[in-house]
């Protein structure tokens, strides 16, 4: 048993992975900001979310801070949708753009950040690398009913995913 709260399904590798090895893309249904808001409102705080904001290019956020496009892998997606967050992850997401006509549409590729033995849980930081570095301030932010606590349990946990 564990004293930690349930974090989600999680994903483990069945074979060892090498540092820099491609794992998979974060697949899902690409939805608009309006549909993202609708799904967020319908879901509620206690429901797992498989939404991944395509917000790398922040000049495209709407008045609610939602990007024009979001990937929702709740109904359609690869196994990466079950990967949990960690403040000290062993994987990292990278933007891979194949659409030269619209930078707001891109793929999210996950790679191993270090050698990962078979059986270990695969995790990534739900914040972008630059956001994660700035995320040290999350510990000091004022929390409210919309704040989401971090359950990763890592030694250097930021305490809050989103505050």
């Amino acid at each position: 048993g564990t004293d930690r709260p349930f974090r989600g399904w999680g994903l483990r590798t069945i074979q060892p992975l090498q540092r820099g090895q491609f794992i998979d893309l974060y697949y899902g249904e690409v939805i608009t900001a309006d549909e993202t808001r609708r799904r967020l409102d319908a879901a509620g705080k206690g429901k797992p979310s498989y939404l991944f904001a395509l917000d790398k290019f922040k000049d495209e956020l709407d008045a609610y801070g939602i990007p024009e496009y979001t990937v929702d892998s709740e109904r359609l997606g690869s196994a990466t949708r079950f990967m949990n967050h960690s403040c000290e992850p062993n994987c990292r997401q990278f933007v891979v753009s194949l659409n030269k006509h619209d930078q707001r549409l891109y793929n999210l590729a996950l790679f191993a950040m270090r050698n990962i033995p078979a059986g270990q849980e695969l995790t990534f930081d739900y914040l972008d690398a630059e956001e994660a570095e700035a995320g040290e301030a999350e510990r000091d932010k004022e929390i409210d009913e919309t704040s989401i606590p971090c359950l990763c349990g890592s030694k250097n946990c930021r305490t809050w995913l989103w505050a």
Side-chain angles (χ1 to χ4, degrees):
T2 179
D3 294 348
R4 282 192 323 183
F6 181 67
R7 297 185 324 140
W9 288 99
L11 181 66
R12 294 183 183 277
T13 179
I14 59 172
Q15 60 187 8
L17 299 174
Q18 301 300 309
R19 180 176 185 236
Q21 187 173 341
F22 171 70
I23 296 169
D24 202 352
L25 295 175
Y26 191 91
Y27 287 114
E29 180 183 8
V30 177
I31 58 175
T32 63
D34 289 338
E35 181 61 15
T36 300
R37 277 192 303 281
R38 190 190 71 69
R39 291 183 188 187
L40 285 169
D41 290 343
K45 187 174 177 181
K47 184 180 181 294
S49 173
Y50 299 95
L51 297 172
F52 204 125
L54 297 180
D55 61 356
K56 182 69 174 174
F57 307 102
K58 296 195 181 341
D59 55 338
E60 300 295 333
L61 300 180
D62 72 4
Y64 301 95
I66 296 174
E68 187 161 346
Y69 297 110
T70 298
V71 175
D72 185 354
S73 67
E74 180 175 8
R75 299 179 205 141
L76 167 75
S78 67
T80 58
R81 68 183 163 174
F82 300 117
M83 288 174 72
N84 285 319
H85 162 82
S86 177
C87 292
E88 295 179 36
N90 55 14
C91 301
R92 182 173 170 195
Q93 72 276 21
F94 289 89
V95 168
V96 178
S97 181
L98 302 173
N99 187 337
K100 295 180 178 139
H101 303 289
D102 193 343
Q103 72 172 359
R104 299 164 301 173
L105 293 170
Y106 52 82
N107 289 314
L108 298 159
L110 290 143
F111 290 85
M113 289 176 51
R114 60 179 177 265
N115 293 338
I116 304 170
Q120 189 171 89
E121 182 179 9
L122 301 176
T123 60
F124 70 99
D125 195 328
Y126 287 1
L127 298 178
D128 185 80
E130 290 82 20
E131 292 174 323
E133 289 172 15
E136 292 300 320
E138 293 294 322
R139 290 185 184 110
D140 302 325
K141 282 190 178 176
E142 207 165 301
I143 60 169
D144 60 29
E145 68 279 352
T146 63
S147 298
I148 307 293
C150 183
L151 304 175
C152 78
S154 67
K155 190 171 88 173
N156 293 315
C157 180
R158 291 188 300 267
T159 309
W160 297 97
L161 278 175
W162 295 281

